[in-house]
Amino acid sequence: MEPNNHLNSQALVADFCSRFDIRPVTLPHTVAGPFEVVNPDQKDLGELVGKIWRKMSEENIDHDYINGHEAEIFNLLRDYARCGVLMADFQDAPLLIETVRNRLGGEISVHNRDTYKAFHLHTQVAGINCEVQFHTYETYDLKLASDASYKKWRKPMAENKAAVEANPDYIEEHKVISPMCNAIYGRSGFDAALPAIEKLRTTNQAVPKMTYNNIVHIYRQAGQVQEQLLNIVQTELKSIALDQLTVRNHDLLTPAEIGNLLNTINGTAPLDQTAAPAEAEPLLVGAFANEPTQAL
């Protein structure tokens, strides 16, 4: 996979983030091979508690229910420890996922929305719920931006959803997300990988329920487990012969498509598709270089 493919994607995402004042938590990386394992910082205790409350609300569970049902509620979260696997093309996902699952066991889930496409492996290490996410290099950048956009609007949406959905800034931001997602996800190999992934899912293995009823204990254990998870995933993937994986030798997007998307993001007219525009300059690539962590 040629590095400039990834830079084109970074340029689109960075311009989008700059226009709408979105700051994803990211650590710029170079595409050095057919896959890469990324290690996010552990969520802090406050983030975990907040996520548990949100999950309870989504499931229409009264917050008072947690008293006496701690272990049940804490199992609502499946990613106390987590890592990500980035690849050149989603068509490599079945081999990568199967290789990791052969060691860890677990359940594969498919996320197939217009604005988020990925495969997740849910498993356990040392009795702690773990998640391994599988993205392409390009879709991972897009995910980081989408996550940051979601977090930006999450509190206002909870307070007054109707007002947010009528907010011109919100409307414009989500109007731009759609063509960007269509372009990047449309070239990611996701749809081509689905049949093989669905076949793997027929042999999903149920993940046992955690038995811990103390969130502080889970939090402390998860910090140790995350390092174990990362090491296991890296070790297993190193066993794959590189000639079994995709190395893309063409641009993910054409110069015209990149120009059109940048113009859409910046609110100007689309380029003439018949013209021969210059390569889009990724001026904002690395705009988040000072951010210390990666996110999943």
Side-chain angles (χ1 to χ4, degrees), residues 1-10 29-33 137-138 247-248 250-251 282 285:
M1 181 178 184
E2 298 176 0
N4 71 304
N5 299 341
H6 185 61
L7 291 181
N8 290 341
S9 169
Q10 285 183 318
H29 53 271
T30 301
V31 180
Y137 288 102
E138 292 83 12
V247 178
R248 190 185 288 118
H250 58 83
D251 282 342
V285 171

Side-chain angles (χ1 to χ4, degrees), residues 52-53 55-67 69 73 76:
I52 289 169
W53 284 162
K55 283 286 187 182
M56 292 179 71
S57 297
E58 290 169 8
E59 300 288 336
N60 295 315
I61 300 173
D62 190 281
H63 286 177
D64 290 338
Y65 179 78
I66 195 170
N67 297 319
H69 302 89
I73 295 302
L76 292 174

